[in-house]
Amino acid sequence: MYLRIINNEISYPYTIKDLKAAHRNITFPNEIGEETMTQFGLYEVEQTPKPNDYTKNITEGTPILTDGVYYQNWIQTDASQSEIDYRLENQWFIIRETRNELLTECDWTQLADIPSETKEAWTIYRQALRNITTQSSPFSITWPVKP
């Protein structure tokens, strides 16, 4: 990922494809070197992890220059209660879907011809799966371990 600075104006995000499209009369090498990047005001942007907070709205801002390196910049603002509620509801839906798939995968463990000690271990696991929605947050689920 790159940004381009021309006349103190930042274009971001910017790609090599954008550079080639803006300069159709120039044949660029497959690998753009430092000299070419400098000539065209192109700078690499270091990726930073996107914050993961369901109570915030997170958008990408203009990269920040720190010690000669441009870093990806994430802007966080408080989400509204309806946005938070929607995210919680959606995440619980995903958790339930996953839980139901895990239960289906081990339905065989409850058949009549399964040894009782095996059935008992899987019954405990299956109950823990059913109880998954009693955990406080769908964003920090502790999944039971299969026997």
Side-chain angles (χ1 to χ4, degrees):
M1 189 172 319
Y2 301 92
L3 66 78
R4 186 168 185 215
I5 302 175
I6 301 294
N7 297 326
N8 291 325
E9 276 196 43
I10 295 176
S11 296
Y12 179 80
Y14 202 84
T15 65
I16 299 300
K17 186 177 180 180
D18 295 330
L19 180 67
K20 290 178 179 180
H23 300 281
R24 294 188 189 279
N25 59 335
I26 298 174
T27 303
F28 291 97
N30 288 338
E31 297 238 353
I32 305 290
E34 281 295 319
E35 187 178 316
T36 303
M37 287 178 60
T38 301
Q39 179 183 355
F40 288 94
L42 205 60
Y43 299 89
E44 276 193 72
V45 175
E46 288 290 321
Q47 302 286 307
T48 60
K50 183 177 180 179
N52 188 11
D53 182 348
Y54 71 95
T55 67
K56 303 286 184 190
N57 290 323
I58 301 166
T59 57
E60 188 174 5
T62 304
I64 296 175
L65 181 63
T66 305
D67 298 327
V69 177
Y70 283 97
Y71 291 94
Q72 197 172 24
N73 177 31
W74 298 105
I75 298 170
Q76 299 182 53
T77 57
D78 291 334
S80 68
Q81 189 59 51
S82 64
E83 289 170 319
I84 293 169
D85 292 344
Y86 174 79
R87 292 171 187 158
L88 283 166
E89 182 181 319
N90 190 55
Q91 189 64 22
W92 278 121
F93 176 81
I94 292 167
I95 296 301
R96 285 184 185 94
E97 291 261 307
T98 302
R99 184 250 343 250
N100 293 345
E101 288 173 18
L102 291 170
L103 282 167
T104 299
E105 287 173 8
C106 62
D107 279 349
W108 64 271
T109 66
Q110 302 306 298
L111 296 173
D113 61 345
I114 299 297
S116 61
E117 59 276 357
T118 302
K119 188 182 278 192
E120 185 177 326
W122 281 95
T123 299
I124 293 167
Y125 168 75
R126 290 169 59 84
Q127 187 58 54
L129 285 174
R130 287 187 193 92
N131 293 342
I132 211 83
T133 57
T134 63
Q135 293 185 32
S136 61
S137 171
F139 293 100
S140 59
I141 293 293
T142 302
W143 292 93
V145 178
K146 291 180 183 178

